Amino acid sequence: MTSTPTRAAEVPPSVPERSPVSAPGRPGRRAAAALSFRNIGAVYVWLVIVVLFTVWAPDTFPTVITVKQVLNGNAVAGLVALSVVPPLAARVFDLSIAFTMSLTSVLTAHFMVSSGLGPGTAIALAMTAALLVGVVNGIVVVVLRVDSFIATLATGALIQSLITMVTDDSSITGVRLLAEPFASIAQLDAGGITLPVLYLLLAALAIWFLLEHTATGRRLYATGFNADAARLQGVRTDRLRFLTLVASALLSGFAGVVFTASVGSGSPTAGTPYLLSAYAAAFVGATQLRAGRFNAFGTVLAVLLLGTGITGLGLATSAQWAASLFTGSVLIVALVLTGGRIALPAALRRRARTRPNPSTSKEIR
């Protein structure tokens, strides 16, 4: 009489049984992955920059004043950079953000100085204009099916014509822009940290929560990764893309209001310097924390990294062209390294593992 072998007997003896002792190692592996250069490479680049300028300008750079200067001086840039994160998550470009920022800047100043309106009314009207810009962008991109890159660039040109009509390409200044309560929007501080830093933190938290902890955020990422597949799963991709353009216009418009309160004038070119840096920070931020995904805190990290370097160059009294050189160099290096473009050692190790052993090949022959 033969016995039927059990399932346990069929398991090859060479397969080791998983020991519960190895379980505690998992948190360690997760921590190592979280602290890896691929995940937070910009943090390590940032530390190198801090050390470099500490050695270069030891009397002026490593101070609390410098920290406050970096935070306060880059809050508006951070708001503009965050404004492009939701559209990019849905694979939509909004190149009108710089023009929208300039528009709300000059409209707020115009309504307060030329029309004599109060700060609240002026800001409300300026933000209404930003909302209209977002709606127009959404109609052109989503309803009329025009490529977002071209559509928002064209919308930006139309906005610039409106700005020129209102300002004649001249900044709008006035005592009311420097007085309370409007000036306190950007100049009120606590311990040397101004309110725009708080705005930046709140905006980053809101976008982070939206993208990481809501169904809408998951649908945004799904739309960005594969819009056709998301649509087949019932995701209303067109509506999401429309709303991201509206949100982008509102946040960049708010940055324009903060900028006006900060400098005390409405500038027709307020947003121009922020366009390239906003997209650069967003793309560098997409390689941090949530690699491959546009995210809020990665973008803020990239903004502060660039701001630290530019502030350090200013304190070290370097040449005027050094800031542009630094920005371009750091962006290229950060994108290459954190994006995994330099993988030569790993490639060599893989090639060595797959290369046949000469002694083994001789025995086979």
Side-chain angles (χ1 to χ4, degrees):
M1 182 176 178
T2 59
S3 61
T4 303
T6 61
R7 185 174 298 271
E10 296 176 356
V11 178
S14 59
V15 178
E17 187 177 348
R18 183 172 296 179
S19 173
V21 180
S22 61
R26 294 177 183 175
R29 288 196 296 271
R30 287 196 295 266
L35 297 174
S36 65
F37 190 86
R38 184 180 293 274
N39 190 47
I40 55 170
V43 174
Y44 299 118
V45 175
W46 192 9
L47 292 175
V48 170
I49 292 172
V50 170
V51 172
L52 174 64
F53 284 110
T54 299
V55 175
W56 189 358
D59 296 330
T60 56
F61 184 79
T63 62
V64 177
I65 297 177
T66 301
V67 175
K68 296 176 181 179
Q69 184 177 348
V70 170
L71 292 175
N72 295 333
N74 293 279
V76 173
L79 288 173
V80 180
L82 287 176
S83 71
V84 305
V85 171
L88 288 176
R91 196 173 290 185
V92 177
F93 283 89
D94 186 0
L95 298 184
S96 66
I97 55 166
F99 304 99
T100 305
M101 177 181 173
S102 300
L103 178 65
T104 55
S105 174
V106 298
L107 286 182
T108 302
H110 173 76
F111 288 137
M112 289 185 62
V113 175
S114 302
S115 303
L117 298 178
T121 305
I123 293 173
L125 292 175
M127 292 303 296
T128 301
L131 176 63
L132 291 176
V133 170
V135 171
V136 171
N137 282 337
I139 292 174
V140 175
V141 173
V142 177
V143 179
L144 301 181
R145 302 294 179 182
V146 180
D147 182 79
S148 62
F149 195 95
I150 303 300
T152 55
L153 191 62
T155 305
L158 296 176
I159 297 172
Q160 186 59 51
S161 65
L162 177 61
I163 293 172
T164 303
M165 181 178 66
V166 172
T167 65
D168 197 21
D169 285 334
S170 300
S171 297
I172 301 176
T173 59
V175 178
R176 297 191 64 190
L177 299 177
L178 301 172
E180 300 290 342
F182 181 72
S184 62
I185 294 175
Q187 299 179 19
L188 187 65
D189 69 278
I193 304 298
T194 57
L195 276 180
V197 177
L198 178 61
Y199 305 151
L200 175 62
L201 178 60
L202 292 177
L205 285 172
I207 295 175
W208 167 78
F209 183 80
L210 171 70
L211 294 178
E212 302 294 338
H213 296 281
T214 66
T216 301
R218 291 190 291 272
R219 294 182 185 119
L220 276 175
Y221 281 133
T223 301
F225 289 140
N226 193 326
D228 294 332
R231 193 179 299 110
L232 291 175
Q233 293 296 323
V235 177
R236 298 181 179 180
T237 56
D238 287 343
R239 184 176 69 174
L240 288 176
R241 296 168 69 207
F242 191 102
L243 292 176
T244 58
L245 288 169
V246 173
S248 176
L250 288 173
L251 189 52
S252 58
F254 178 69
V257 174
V258 175
F259 176 86
T260 301
S262 177
V263 301
S265 66
S267 172
T269 59
T272 303
Y274 295 101
L275 179 60
L276 179 60
S277 62
Y279 274 93
F283 275 93
V284 172
T287 67
Q288 305 297 305
L289 305 179
R290 298 283 287 170
R293 297 186 179 189
F294 293 98
N295 62 91
F297 286 109
T299 301
V300 173
L301 175 62
V303 169
L304 294 178
L305 184 153
L306 295 173
T308 300
I310 294 174
T311 302
L313 288 172
L315 294 175
T317 62
S318 58
Q320 292 183 352
W321 48 263
S324 299
L325 177 64
F326 168 82
T327 301
S329 301
V330 169
L331 286 176
I332 292 174
V333 172
L335 283 173
V336 169
L337 293 181
T338 58
R341 302 302 183 200
I342 298 179
L344 183 59
L348 292 177
R349 287 194 297 269
R350 286 195 299 268
R351 185 174 299 177
R353 286 196 298 266
T354 57
R355 185 179 301 166
N357 192 338
S359 60
T360 305
S361 60
K362 287 180 180 179
E363 293 176 0
I364 294 175
R365 293 176 185 174

